[in-house]
Amino acid sequence: MSETSARLLSLLSLLQARRDWPGSLLAERLEVSARTVRRDVDRLRDLGYPVRAIKGPDGGYRLDAGAELPPLLFDDDQAIAVAVALQTATTTVAGIEEGALRALATVRQVMPARLRQRVDALQVTTIDRYAARRTTVNSDQLIAIGMAVRANEVLRFDYATPGAPEGEWLPPRKVEPHHLVTWGGRWYLIAWDLDRQDWRTFRVDRMTPKTPTGPRFTPRELPAPDVAAYVAKQFKSTEQYPFRGEAILQTPASDVAPWAGRDTVVEEVSPTSCRVIMSAWSWIGLAATFGMYECDLELIGPPELIEAARQLANRYQEGIS
């Protein structure tokens, strides 16, 4: 690989790692002059990468989203994560099977041999713990609802009400959509029902969104500290264990939801993290359950859960010879 090409890849990797980069800092990290950085930025633009100059004392650069998807640059861990995620992407969202398989083939094709061997060794078979009650949702349907949530736009939809006489016409529901959540293998929309003037929870697989969406609105406050607490109250199970706690897991909600119990709430915090509320037979048991997920985590509380985690950590530490 030529020195210029290698430097372009390094520059692209840096631009993907954070939102804004001062030009002087990029030059320092790449060990080149500011003039060379400007030339390399122009080369990336010629290749289709939307690199925008930003104003400031020293000036700088930002990699924006573009109209087209240029080639992406993944490090080894990111490439492995993408490949595994694509293998398990169709668990609860229908209509993306072909796209996921084509994306997996594309990622695998451009991988170096060392990574391709690791991916081929990670052939994942998804065993659906909630197959009896799990329902899949259409990807277009999920995106339409998610966009209304993000834009704070009134959503109209037909809703398949259980027990309603077949063929009976029902007027569309009109809601202020608040949040999409997964619980027990299903997708739900939390929303303020404009006709009933109250909060409601709708199963996404029973919704048929209508276009266009309605006017924008100012989001209301949930009658709970947060979405996770609200959902926990709505779906409170008679089988719920008495000791209940909360944690932030540094892994996507889609990776946690398939393995969550019936009374467990999984709320997306970001594309790479989620809030989880669950219960167990004891504080020690709850701390151990949170620790079973192979990711970094932050225990939120209550204090008894955090103390139990300390006790468990000490117990393991003393048991290591």
Side-chain angles (χ1 to χ4, degrees):
M1 182 182 295
S2 70
E3 180 181 346
T4 300
S5 298
R7 192 175 63 246
L8 284 178
L9 289 176
S10 298
L11 174 58
L12 179 58
S13 179
L14 290 173
L15 290 171
Q16 291 178 164
R18 56 185 274 184
R19 180 172 176 81
D20 295 331
W21 278 94
S24 58
L25 184 55
L26 280 176
E28 179 181 339
R29 293 289 294 270
L30 296 171
E31 298 182 348
V32 296
S33 66
R35 183 179 179 182
T36 299
V37 170
R38 288 194 296 271
R39 287 203 303 264
D40 287 348
V41 165
D42 288 338
R43 291 189 179 101
L44 288 179
R45 289 168 177 161
D46 291 339
L47 292 172
Y49 294 96
V51 183
R52 180 160 61 92
I54 55 176
K55 297 180 180 180
D58 301 323
Y61 301 96
R62 174 186 301 168
L63 182 62
D64 283 341
E68 298 180 351
L69 183 66
L72 301 177
L73 179 65
F74 295 122
D75 60 29
D76 288 7
D77 290 340
Q78 288 174 325
I80 294 293
V82 168
V84 173
L86 288 170
Q87 292 188 56
T88 59
T90 61
T91 304
T92 60
V93 181
I96 63 172
E97 296 88 348
E98 182 182 351
L101 290 175
R102 287 192 291 109
L104 178 59
T106 300
V107 171
R108 184 186 179 280
Q109 182 178 0
V110 298
M111 282 182 172
R114 68 179 190 282
L115 291 185
R116 193 179 305 122
Q117 293 173 1
R118 293 173 64 185
V119 168
D120 290 344
L122 283 171
Q123 296 300 314
V124 180
T125 300
T126 301
I127 301 175
D128 196 346
R129 182 181 178 187
Y130 291 102
R133 68 187 302 268
R134 183 179 299 284
T135 53
T136 58
V137 297
N138 182 275
S139 57
D140 292 336
Q141 171 185 357
L142 197 63
I143 291 171
I145 297 171
M147 291 179 65
V149 171
R150 183 180 181 87
N152 296 326
E153 293 177 343
V154 171
L155 182 67
R156 299 180 304 117
F157 57 91
D158 291 329
Y159 194 66
T161 305
E166 187 175 354
E168 179 184 3
W169 182 85
L170 296 173
R173 308 293 288 266
K174 291 193 303 181
V175 303
E176 296 176 354
H178 187 276
H179 212 85
L180 277 170
V181 298
T182 59
W183 180 83
R186 289 177 178 148
W187 285 92
Y188 293 89
L189 172 68
I190 311 301
W192 175 264
D193 193 312
L194 292 170
D195 294 323
R196 292 158 179 79
Q197 289 294 296
D198 197 6
W199 289 98
R200 290 289 190 271
T201 302
F202 301 94
R203 273 179 51 173
V204 171
D205 61 293
R206 294 176 177 168
M207 298 171 58
T208 304
K210 290 182 171 295
T211 55
T213 52
R216 303 193 69 171
F217 62 88
T218 300
R220 305 169 189 264
E221 289 190 10
L222 278 172
D226 52 39
V227 173
Y230 176 81
V231 175
K233 182 179 179 181
Q234 297 299 307
F235 296 109
K236 187 174 182 181
S237 170
T238 56
E239 302 173 358
Q240 179 176 312
Y241 289 110
F243 300 94
R244 195 163 182 82
E246 176 182 352
I248 301 294
L249 303 185
Q250 299 302 318
T251 192
S254 58
D255 288 351
V256 177
W259 313 108
R262 288 180 60 89
D263 68 333
T264 298
V265 177
V266 182
E267 176 197 353
E268 181 177 288
V269 175
S270 74
T272 59
S273 65
C274 60
R275 183 191 309 274
V276 178
I277 298 178
M278 71 171 83
S279 60
W281 60 93
S282 68
W283 291 119
I284 289 289
L286 184 58
T289 303
F290 276 122
M292 289 172 60
Y293 292 98
E294 296 183 1
C295 63
D296 293 336
L297 58 85
E298 176 190 359
L299 294 177
I300 304 301
E304 293 86 351
L305 171 61
I306 297 174
E307 177 58 30
R310 292 195 182 99
Q311 295 177 20
L312 194 60
N314 291 334
R315 187 179 303 172
Y316 280 124
Q317 183 64 37
E318 291 173 0
I320 299 175
S321 57

